[in-house]
Amino acid sequence: MTAEPAPASREAPRARFRPPAVPQVDVRGFWGSRVDAVADKTADILYERCVEAGMLDQLDPDRPVPELRIPFMSMSPAAVTSGKPTFTSGTVTTQMFWDSDLGKTIETAAYSLYRKKNPELEAKIDAVIDMFAKLQQPDGYLSSWYQRMQPGLRWTNLRDCHELYCAGHLIEGAVAYYQATGKRKLLDVMARYADHIDTMFGPEPEKKKGYCGHEEIELALVKLARVTGNDRYMKLAKYFIDQRGQQPHYFDEEALARGSDPSKFHFGTYEYNQSHKPVREQDKVVGHAVRAMYLYSGMADVATEFHDDTLRVALDKLWDDLNSKQLYVTGGLGPSDANEGFTADYDLPNETAYAETCAAVALAFWANRMLGMGPNRRYADVMEQAIYNGAISGISLDGSLFFYENPLESRGHHNRWKWHRCPCCPPNLGRMIASIGSYMYGQAEGEIAVHLYGDSTARLDIGGKEVRLTQTTRYPWDGAIGITVDVDAPTRFALSLRIPGWCRKASLKVNGEAVDLQAVTIDGYARLDREWKAGDSVALDLELAVERIHAHPEVRQDAGRVTLKRGPLVYCLEAVDNPISLNRVALPSDAPVDARYEDGLLGGVVTLSAKAKADATADWGGTLYRTEPPKSEEVAIKAVPYFVWDNREPGEMLVWLRGG
Amino acid sequence: MTAEPAPASREAPRARFRPPAVPQVDVRGFWGSRVDAVADKTADILYERCVEAGMLDQLDPDRPVPELRIPFMSMSPAAVTSGKPTFTSGTVTTQMFWDSDLGKTIETAAYSLYRKKNPELEAKIDAVIDMFAKLQQPDGYLSSWYQRMQPGLRWTNLRDCHELYCAGHLIEGAVAYYQATGKRKLLDVMARYADHIDTMFGPEPEKKKGYCGHEEIELALVKLARVTGNDRYMKLAKYFIDQRGQQPHYFDEEALARGSDPSKFHFGTYEYNQSHKPVREQDKVVGHAVRAMYLYSGMADVATEFHDDTLRVALDKLWDDLNSKQLYVTGGLGPSDANEGFTADYDLPNETAYAETCAAVALAFWANRMLGMGPNRRYADVMEQAIYNGAISGISLDGSLFFYENPLESRGHHNRWKWHRCPCCPPNLGRMIASIGSYMYGQAEGEIAVHLYGDSTARLDIGGKEVRLTQTTRYPWDGAIGITVDVDAPTRFALSLRIPGWCRKASLKVNGEAVDLQAVTIDGYARLDREWKAGDSVALDLELAVERIHAHPEVRQDAGRVTLKRGPLVYCLEAVDNPISLNRVALPSDAPVDARYEDGLLGGVVTLSAKAKADATADWGGTLYRTEPPKSEEVAIKAVPYFVWDNREPGEMLVWLRGG
């Protein structure tokens, strides 16, 4: 019944890399404009949509309890169980997961408020926080759903009802709001709630042996432990990880206790929520994609904090499985809308790809946390791939419209929404973009790792001493990266710079002197271990060549096809630039592809141009099938980065082009 | 309000080609074994399934009225409106369209009984016919649904409830049973019902101006008119055709009379049932595929019988639209399951193709009826394409299992069913196969057209004189066709032999003397107009070359792909013959393809073999994406005719192979 103890001790002397808090990093350039879009538009939009959706009616204890409004009849069975309503009319509803969306909205607002003062928004968020504080029960419990909509049912259906998931997102929001504004009201509220949860769940005989059907609380408790220094939260996070999938199965017993038949679980298998077996025995990425990524993120945090190599081994098997068989080239994942998740190896349909924005965002969470165990481009490359493609494709350039599904092929009917009945993605992406600085760096005893490049200034912590790093670069459009170091006094530490796996040619100089990359590179990071003085400069040059990418031959949907990539960016064709049916186009393997920065286009992007072949239609007349192959004609094509698609006139889009 | 009169007069002297009745043609060879499978297995299976489904409980007036069992809750909205339940449990139900399935089952049994004595089945069918006779009301009305399940509601919802559609299929069954067994009880019953319908619908002020939401009654009334010689049925068929889509719209008025909002029609547009405009103004094939084909079949019959060129012009526009933009290479049609029908031009997805068996069968109905206006391979080629591929793929070789959807690509999870909750397809295909002889020939004043070739003996009628034609051939496996003529006395008539459009090389001899094909060929038929004597022989040789077929470049799903065809047969790869992921295979344009008859395989088929290329996987390791193109390796491939797929171990199947 109780979880197996973690074999590794927390006392081992190995490094733990911690991401910087948002206030430690100011971004400019590429990320600066994206963070500004979130701060200027998205953050306010998220709050307004929460209000429109009725979230505050469900939350505010001073308002009458709204009638239960979940039009199950018009929800798919999957929607009912997954809690993702897909109803056809009306945006106002009540949902068991509203607290999570408020939590992510608070987190996005927090980072945005740090970026730009916004007293109106800050007042609104403070008011929401007051509602949570007022709603909280004396014992610390806090849930707008179970206190207002379904009183008396708390802790009766962890499998389906997102109870701890909501707590987790509120904890993340609380930590962010505290870090960004210094206000600790919500942090204290959530710490009390976490204390209550700690009294409810654990190995002790009197406690429940449960865990959430939708993982999230695990990684949130790690954040809470780090910011409060309270080790109990860390231990509770580990408990939820260790207990998951143990026998007798909690979800079976819980269902029986509810008087329902465990075998009637809508998704049939507990693979859906990754509780089909203990996490250390899992070696295949399965089920609901976001849940899986959140679980692995929590596992990575616990592996880091506890130096738990049994978790690390499992995580590496899962990482290999995802990256060798189940990941879109865009960093999107979870091809099926039926389970919002994974299907079969190499099954990566392009037009029907679900590839939920939340899943790519969550992959970035996982990859970033794998880097807690030390810099390794095996993880950082994928983090960059997901962030620059399948994640930020989820938001329009102006920060006002959102994708939930991120297909790699479209006939033009797939366009970003103003809002979604299940608003999980916009705030998830909003908070990721607005906190991009914490993905760029890792800080540990005597070492700073630079995972992502971008024009920015960071104030990092090396054993209590502040190290200021200023990156000057036009990355990802240009591969020249200048880094200046600023310290109050000469300080010895290792500065580890990621040399991306996609980069064929890189050069590195310190204070003008060339460094032998081969000699200093470990796990794909150039490690510059020296005493750094104020004004020291590092010049890193990464060649951004245009590459043709081919998929494994077992990926049937991509057979005979090729996609274009430059640096971290995957490219696509859009109808607005290419007035021809895109599947008529074939890109010869020897056709030169030119990269050009276009200042006026889509806020400034590097486009790719080539002379390709197209199947001619002129000589077909009314013929639908014939024995003569189509004639070929030359056509000029122009590709744009995938993440900017659908920011102009809607039309066909294609990532995987026919090869030639 | 009343329909526009047909401009053309029925008195014009032009020929009308009538198909022979089933007893006029005995088939052997390829079709002989298929008809035997239907007579030996399918006919009995159809009856048994009708019983299991509860059809007789709904029909038999001597049984208690069954409770209304249509689990709407588990039906999709489309299913509710289209009357195609897709519920998940239980096969016993009550349905508004059960009479149609009994009608088609009776028709299949009729042809089967002509083929082979089966006293047990004949007794069962006679009993069913007795039930219909006993149920019929004094006024002639006959519907198991409206008399037993929804009494009092007759003629209140022609749009959705298949009332006249059921009558039509029962009429077809009655005509067939009379022709095959000489028993006229059901024919008399249905004639009385048709008389009643004639009193209910028509241009006269006191009559309803309606027509059925699911076309079928039109072509059935033409059959009834031909066999009874009663012209009123012909005129009523023409009325239903002429009235369709006229304003004010009958379905609007009917809905209002029911107190329901016409705009709430589930499928939104009346294109769904082809009543969006008068039929003579229609030039685009739209909506539910089977409904469309049944309508056009009725239109073709009326165009033939009334020499109505305004209908013929509309039909040719519709024919061009289907054949130039919306037809699968298999002769399948209707790519979408949402409306069981048509979507957009050139939208022909392979794996998700709906391509209902009934639709390909119904296309054969339409094409066959276009030939009523005279032999023309423009129609006969497509009839052959549909019959040999997308239609007979719907039944297993032994006649016991059935496809409803006929995709052109499968991962092996798509297999024939024992039965289907909506059993429309099995009896539709069963009756077509068992009556294949009536598709092979057309007979008119002074002319016999041979539309399809197959080992057979036909007793045809030329102005009251019998002409016996014996075809000796292994077609479609071999292109050598011998035809011997037998007449009681020398008789002058034109024997018109179809020279298929796919045939590059054909030769023709009469009594050993070569005929100049060019000189005698009209509309793709070699017309041998002479005095024929007993023993005259015709030798037609059609080259059956293996062809590579390419789709119009706008068909995005087939871009860069090719399929193999030999004579009328489209080929596919199956996993059982090709142990490799089929999309790894590319067929070079210059690779020789060998055709070989394999006696022991699938009842004897010609297979196609070639040396192709395959993308190698050996050097990929755990890599999912890379810049180096896949290495190519040689692989031997073997293709089988599409219609025999899924008769062995289930596995991947692919029609459109990557080109090379």
Side-chain angles (χ1 to χ4, degrees):
Chain A
M1 190 72 181
T2 57
E4 55 174 312
S9 138
R10 274 192 80 193
E11 307 324 316
R14 285 151 48 187
R16 298 186 187 95
F17 282 80
R18 300 275 176 85
V22 166
Q24 291 181 255
V25 186
D26 299 327
V27 293
R28 298 175 296 270
F30 179 91
W31 284 110
S33 55
R34 260 136 207 97
V35 175
D36 286 338
V38 172
D40 293 337
K41 263 220 162 88
T42 315
D44 290 300
I45 286 173
L46 294 178
Y47 173 82
E48 293 308 329
R49 300 288 187 275
C50 290
V51 172
E52 289 168 16
M55 295 187 196
L56 301 189
D57 299 327
Q58 178 175 308
L59 167 65
D60 188 353
D62 293 339
R63 305 186 198 187
V65 173
E67 79 181 280
L68 196 60
R69 281 180 305 236
I70 304 180
F72 279 100
M73 290 318 303
S74 52
M75 286 169 69
S76 69
V80 173
T81 306
S82 69
K84 297 210 169 212
T86 55
F87 45 88
T88 49
S89 68
T91 54
V92 177
T93 177
T94 55
Q95 294 294 351
M96 54 183 64
F97 49 79
W98 271 168
D99 292 354
S100 72
D101 296 301
L102 286 167
K104 286 185 283 186
T105 297
I106 291 168
E107 187 176 351
T108 306
Y111 305 141
S112 302
L113 292 174
Y114 169 75
R115 179 76 177 182
K116 287 190 181 177
K117 293 264 157 286
N118 185 339
E120 298 73 13
L121 179 61
E122 185 164 356
K124 291 169 183 166
I125 298 299
D126 287 338
V128 172
I129 290 170
D130 290 341
M131 293 176 197
F132 276 109
K134 187 162 187 179
L135 182 67
Q136 185 167 41
Q137 301 207 165
D139 65 2
Y141 184 83
L142 179 57
S143 160
S144 69
W145 180 261
Y146 281 107
Q147 291 177 249
R148 308 241 305 153
M149 306 310 301
Q150 291 197 325
L153 293 182
R154 67 159 97 166
W155 308 136
T156 57
N157 187 353
L158 297 181
R159 185 190 70 188
D160 303 327
C161 295
H162 300 70
E163 200 166 3
L164 289 166
Y165 166 84
C166 286
H169 276 302
L170 282 171
I171 288 170
E172 286 199 273
V175 169
Y177 205 68
Y178 166 68
Q179 290 178 324
T181 68
K183 298 179 181 176
R184 54 177 309 136
K185 183 171 192 173
L186 186 58
L187 184 66
D188 295 337
V189 165
M190 294 315 297
R192 276 198 299 280
Y193 188 14
D195 294 338
H196 174 72
I197 293 169
D198 190 46
T199 65
M200 299 299 302
F201 298 92
E204 298 80 359
E206 73 279 8
K207 296 184 181 179
K208 294 179 182 293
K209 302 297 174 285
Y211 42 88
C212 194
H214 195 317
E215 304 90 329
E216 156 64 19
I217 186 73
E218 302 82 357
L219 68 88
L221 286 168
V222 171
K223 274 192 181 180
L224 186 62
R226 285 173 175 170
V227 75
T228 61
N230 186 334
D231 201 44
R232 283 194 298 115
Y233 305 138
M234 199 69 81
K235 291 207 177 74
L236 183 56
K238 182 174 187 303
Y239 174 76
F240 284 135
I241 297 286
D242 293 342
Q243 180 60 21
R244 192 169 203 87
Q246 300 291 344
Q247 289 297 341
H249 201 288
Y250 186 79
F251 294 154
D252 287 345
E253 304 203 313
E254 181 194 57
L256 292 169
R258 283 197 311 272
S260 75
D261 177 353
S263 71
K264 292 282 184 296
F265 176 49
H266 173 76
F267 290 95
T269 164
Y270 288 146
E271 286 189 351
Y272 174 72
N273 53 36
Q274 300 80 40
S275 68
H276 54 299
K277 55 171 86 164
V279 298
R280 289 173 180 80
E281 297 169 23
Q282 297 189 27
D283 55 10
K284 190 113 198 73
V285 172
V286 293
H288 186 282
V290 176
R291 296 177 193 228
M293 297 302 111
Y294 279 17
L295 168 62
Y296 309 149
S297 297
M299 286 166 65
D301 278 340
V302 169
T304 296
E305 292 297 334
F306 292 81
H307 295 309
D308 185 334
D309 288 331
T310 62
L311 279 177
R312 184 175 192 156
V313 168
L315 285 164
D316 274 323
K317 284 185 191 158
L318 292 163
W319 187 266
D320 285 337
D321 180 66
L322 176 68
N323 284 274
S324 64
K325 301 189 184 73
Q326 304 201 76
L327 187 64
Y328 283 101
V329 71
T330 55
L333 54 154
S336 168
D337 64 350
N339 64 346
E340 299 181 297
F342 301 98
T343 55
D345 288 350
Y346 302 112
D347 179 36
L348 295 166
N350 292 310
E351 188 171 8
T352 62
Y354 193 70
E356 185 182 343
T357 301
C358 278
V361 168
L363 172 56
F365 295 166
W366 181 22
N368 193 30
R369 284 163 171 81
M370 293 302 285
L371 295 168
M373 293 176 270
N376 188 331
R377 80 176 175 202
R378 158 185 168 83
Y379 310 114
D381 282 0
V382 172
M383 178 171 76
E384 184 182 53
Q385 175 188 7
I387 289 175
Y388 275 96
N389 301 288
I392 61 173
S393 60
I395 189 168
S396 59
L397 288 176
D398 70 354
S400 67
L401 299 171
F402 311 97
F403 270 141
Y404 294 78
E405 302 171 19
N406 293 273
L408 283 73
E409 176 173 12
S410 171
R411 268 176 281 180
H413 306 310
H414 191 91
N415 312 105
R416 292 184 183 82
W417 298 42
K418 179 166 176 283
W419 194 238
H420 194 284
R421 296 329 196 294
C422 175
C424 56
C425 294
N428 221 2
L429 181 54
R431 67 184 181 134
M432 189 206 81
I433 291 172
S435 63
I436 189 66
S438 57
Y439 296 81
M440 295 173 70
Y441 300 94
Q443 47 197 0
E445 292 290 318
E447 183 167 357
I448 290 172
V450 185
H451 303 310
L452 300 178
Y453 299 106
D455 207 58
S456 59
T457 298
R459 292 164 294 278
L460 303 170
D461 174 81
I462 285 291
K465 292 191 194 141
E466 181 173 276
V467 173
R468 293 172 291 278
L469 293 184
T470 298
Q471 287 193 52
T472 308
T473 178
R474 293 184 56 254
Y475 192 89
W477 310 126
D478 184 282
I481 300 144
I483 301 176
T484 58
V485 178
D486 183 21
V487 283
D488 300 328
T491 310
R492 183 176 186 93
F493 64 91
L495 179 63
S496 293
L497 306 172
R498 172 174 154 256
I499 311 300
W502 47 257
C503 182
R504 302 295 184 93
K505 198 151 138 287
S507 66
L508 180 63
K509 290 195 180 120
V510 176
N511 296 328
E513 276 180 33
V515 175
D516 176 354
L517 267 178
Q518 204 109 41
V520 300
T521 300
I522 308 165
D523 294 336
Y525 280 71
R527 195 166 197 276
L528 305 173
D529 190 354
R530 64 202 298 273
E531 183 173 80
W532 295 92
K533 291 180 293 309
D536 282 342
S537 73
V538 176
L540 175 64
D541 218 316
L542 303 174
E543 183 184 69
L544 297 181
V546 177
E547 304 269 20
R548 283 174 166 77
I549 305 296
H550 304 266
H552 189 288
E554 289 290 334
V555 182
R556 41 201 288 281
Q557 297 92 347
D558 302 338
R561 292 180 177 258
V562 64
T563 191
L564 296 172
K565 198 160 173 286
R566 180 176 181 268
L569 299 175
V570 173
Y571 279 71
C572 67
L573 295 188
E574 275 198 288
V576 60
D577 302 308
N578 304 277
I580 181 175
S581 299
L582 300 180
N583 274 290
R584 283 175 54 195
V585 176
L587 181 63
S589 55
D590 58 357
V593 180
D594 305 324
R596 189 164 69 87
Y597 183 76
E598 296 192 45
D599 206 354
L601 184 65
L602 295 159
V605 295
V606 169
T607 60
L608 305 182
S609 302
K611 287 206 183 335
K613 300 282 176 207
D615 294 338
T617 55
D619 63 335
W620 279 75
T623 309
L624 186 53
Y625 302 104
R626 74 183 194 191
T627 55
E628 186 195 348
K631 290 193 171 40
S632 185
E633 58 193 15
E634 192 175 82
V635 60
I637 61 169
K638 176 164 147 177
V640 297
Y642 173 76
F643 79 85
V644 298
W645 89 276
D646 194 48
N647 274 282
R648 294 171 292 172
E649 303 86 275
E652 204 182 356
M653 181 278 291
L654 187 64
V655 169
W656 287 100
L657 316 181
R658 290 167 51 205
Chain B
M1 190 68 179
T2 56
E4 55 174 313
S9 133
R10 274 192 79 194
E11 307 324 317
R14 285 152 47 189
R16 299 186 187 94
F17 282 80
R18 300 274 176 85
V22 166
Q24 291 181 254
V25 187
D26 299 325
V27 292
R28 298 175 296 271
F30 179 92
W31 284 109
S33 55
R34 261 138 206 97
V35 175
D36 286 338
V38 171
D40 294 338
K41 263 221 163 87
T42 315
D44 290 300
I45 286 173
L46 294 178
Y47 173 83
E48 293 308 329
R49 299 289 187 275
C50 290
V51 173
E52 289 168 16
M55 295 186 196
L56 301 189
D57 299 327
Q58 178 175 310
L59 167 65
D60 187 352
D62 293 339
R63 304 186 197 187
V65 173
E67 80 182 280
L68 195 61
R69 282 180 304 235
I70 304 181
F72 279 98
M73 291 317 303
S74 52
M75 286 170 70
S76 68
V80 173
T81 306
S82 68
K84 298 212 168 211
T86 55
F87 45 87
T88 49
S89 68
T91 53
V92 177
T93 178
T94 55
Q95 295 294 351
M96 54 184 62
F97 48 80
W98 272 167
D99 293 355
S100 71
D101 295 301
L102 286 167
K104 285 184 283 186
T105 298
I106 291 167
E107 188 177 352
T108 306
Y111 304 141
S112 302
L113 292 174
Y114 170 75
R115 179 77 178 182
K116 288 191 180 177
K117 292 263 158 285
N118 185 339
E120 298 73 14
L121 179 61
E122 186 163 355
K124 291 169 183 164
I125 299 299
D126 287 339
V128 172
I129 289 171
D130 290 340
M131 294 176 197
F132 276 109
K134 187 162 187 179
L135 182 66
Q136 185 168 40
Q137 301 206 167
D139 65 2
Y141 184 82
L142 180 56
S143 160
S144 68
W145 180 260
Y146 281 108
Q147 291 175 249
R148 307 240 307 153
M149 306 311 301
Q150 292 198 325
L153 293 182
R154 67 159 97 165
W155 308 135
T156 57
N157 188 354
L158 297 180
R159 186 190 70 188
D160 304 327
C161 295
H162 300 69
E163 201 166 3
L164 289 165
Y165 166 84
C166 286
H169 275 303
L170 282 170
I171 288 169
E172 286 198 273
V175 168
Y177 206 67
Y178 166 69
Q179 290 178 325
T181 68
K183 299 180 182 175
R184 55 177 307 136
K185 183 171 192 173
L186 186 59
L187 184 66
D188 295 337
V189 164
M190 293 316 296
R192 276 198 298 280
Y193 188 13
D195 294 339
H196 174 72
I197 293 169
D198 190 45
T199 66
M200 298 300 302
F201 297 92
E204 299 80 359
E206 72 280 7
K207 295 185 181 178
K208 294 179 182 293
K209 303 295 172 286
Y211 40 88
C212 194
H214 195 317
E215 304 90 329
E216 155 65 19
I217 186 72
E218 302 83 357
L219 68 87
L221 286 167
V222 170
K223 275 192 181 180
L224 186 62
R226 286 174 175 170
V227 74
T228 61
N230 186 336
D231 202 42
R232 282 193 299 114
Y233 304 140
M234 199 68 81
K235 291 207 179 76
L236 183 56
K238 182 173 185 303
Y239 174 76
F240 284 134
I241 296 286
D242 293 343
Q243 181 59 21
R244 193 169 203 87
Q246 300 291 344
Q247 290 297 341
H249 202 287
Y250 186 79
F251 293 155
D252 287 345
E253 304 203 312
E254 182 194 56
L256 292 170
R258 282 197 310 271
S260 75
D261 178 353
S263 70
K264 292 282 186 297
F265 176 49
H266 173 75
F267 290 95
T269 164
Y270 288 147
E271 287 189 350
Y272 174 72
N273 53 36
Q274 300 81 38
S275 68
H276 53 300
K277 55 171 87 163
V279 299
R280 288 173 181 81
E281 297 169 24
Q282 298 189 25
D283 54 10
K284 189 113 198 73
V285 172
V286 294
H288 187 283
V290 176
R291 296 176 193 230
M293 297 302 110
Y294 279 17
L295 168 63
Y296 309 150
S297 297
M299 286 166 66
D301 278 340
V302 169
T304 296
E305 293 297 333
F306 292 82
H307 295 311
D308 186 333
D309 288 332
T310 62
L311 279 177
R312 184 174 193 156
V313 168
L315 285 165
D316 274 323
K317 284 184 191 159
L318 292 163
W319 186 267
D320 286 336
D321 180 64
L322 176 67
N323 283 275
S324 64
K325 301 189 185 72
Q326 304 200 77
L327 187 64
Y328 284 100
V329 71
T330 55
L333 54 154
S336 168
D337 63 351
N339 64 345
E340 298 181 298
F342 301 98
T343 55
D345 289 351
Y346 303 111
D347 179 36
L348 296 166
N350 292 310
E351 189 171 7
T352 62
Y354 193 69
E356 186 182 341
T357 301
C358 278
V361 167
L363 172 56
F365 295 166
W366 180 23
N368 193 31
R369 284 162 171 81
M370 293 303 285
L371 295 168
M373 293 176 270
N376 188 331
R377 78 176 175 202
R378 157 185 169 83
Y379 311 114
D381 283 359
V382 172
M383 178 171 75
E384 184 181 52
Q385 176 188 7
I387 288 175
Y388 274 96
N389 302 287
I392 61 172
S393 60
I395 189 168
S396 60
L397 287 175
D398 69 355
S400 67
L401 300 171
F402 311 96
F403 269 142
Y404 294 78
E405 301 170 21
N406 293 272
L408 283 74
E409 176 173 11
S410 171
R411 267 176 282 181
H413 306 310
H414 191 90
N415 312 105
R416 292 184 182 82
W417 300 41
K418 179 166 177 283
W419 195 236
H420 193 284
R421 296 328 196 294
C422 174
C424 56
C425 294
N428 221 2
L429 181 54
R431 67 185 180 134
M432 189 207 81
I433 291 172
S435 62
I436 189 66
S438 57
Y439 297 80
M440 295 173 70
Y441 299 94
Q443 46 196 3
E445 293 289 317
E447 182 168 356
I448 290 171
V450 185
H451 303 311
L452 301 178
Y453 299 105
D455 206 60
S456 59
T457 298
R459 291 164 295 277
L460 303 169
D461 174 81
I462 286 289
K465 293 194 192 136
E466 181 173 276
V467 173
R468 291 171 292 277
L469 292 184
T470 299
Q471 287 194 52
T472 308
T473 178
R474 294 184 55 253
Y475 192 89
W477 310 125
D478 184 283
I481 300 143
I483 301 176
T484 58
V485 179
D486 183 21
V487 283
D488 300 328
T491 310
R492 182 177 187 93
F493 64 90
L495 180 63
S496 293
L497 306 172
R498 169 173 155 256
I499 311 300
W502 47 257
C503 182
R504 302 295 183 93
K505 198 150 136 290
S507 67
L508 181 62
K509 290 194 181 119
V510 175
N511 297 329
E513 275 181 34
V515 175
D516 177 354
L517 267 177
Q518 203 109 42
V520 300
T521 301
I522 307 165
D523 294 336
Y525 281 70
R527 195 167 197 275
L528 305 173
D529 189 355
R530 64 202 298 272
E531 182 175 80
W532 295 92
K533 291 180 294 307
D536 283 342
S537 72
V538 176
L540 175 63
D541 217 317
L542 303 174
E543 183 184 69
L544 298 180
V546 177
E547 304 270 20
R548 284 175 166 77
I549 305 296
H550 303 267
H552 189 288
E554 288 291 332
V555 183
R556 41 201 288 281
Q557 297 92 348
D558 302 338
R561 294 181 176 256
V562 63
T563 191
L564 295 172
K565 198 160 174 284
R566 180 177 181 269
L569 298 176
V570 173
Y571 279 71
C572 67
L573 296 188
E574 276 198 286
V576 60
D577 301 309
N578 304 277
I580 181 175
S581 300
L582 300 180
N583 274 290
R584 282 175 55 194
V585 175
L587 181 63
S589 55
D590 57 357
V593 180
D594 304 324
R596 189 164 69 87
Y597 182 77
E598 297 192 45
D599 207 353
L601 184 66
L602 294 159
V605 295
V606 168
T607 60
L608 305 182
S609 303
K611 289 207 183 331
K613 300 283 176 206
D615 294 339
T617 54
D619 63 336
W620 279 77
T623 309
L624 186 52
Y625 302 103
R626 74 183 194 190
T627 55
E628 185 195 349
K631 291 193 172 38
S632 185
E633 59 193 15
E634 192 175 81
V635 60
I637 61 169
K638 175 164 148 176
V640 296
Y642 173 75
F643 79 86
V644 298
W645 88 276
D646 194 48
N647 274 282
R648 293 172 292 171
E649 302 88 275
E652 204 182 357
M653 181 278 290
L654 187 63
V655 168
W656 287 100
L657 315 181
R658 289 167 52 204

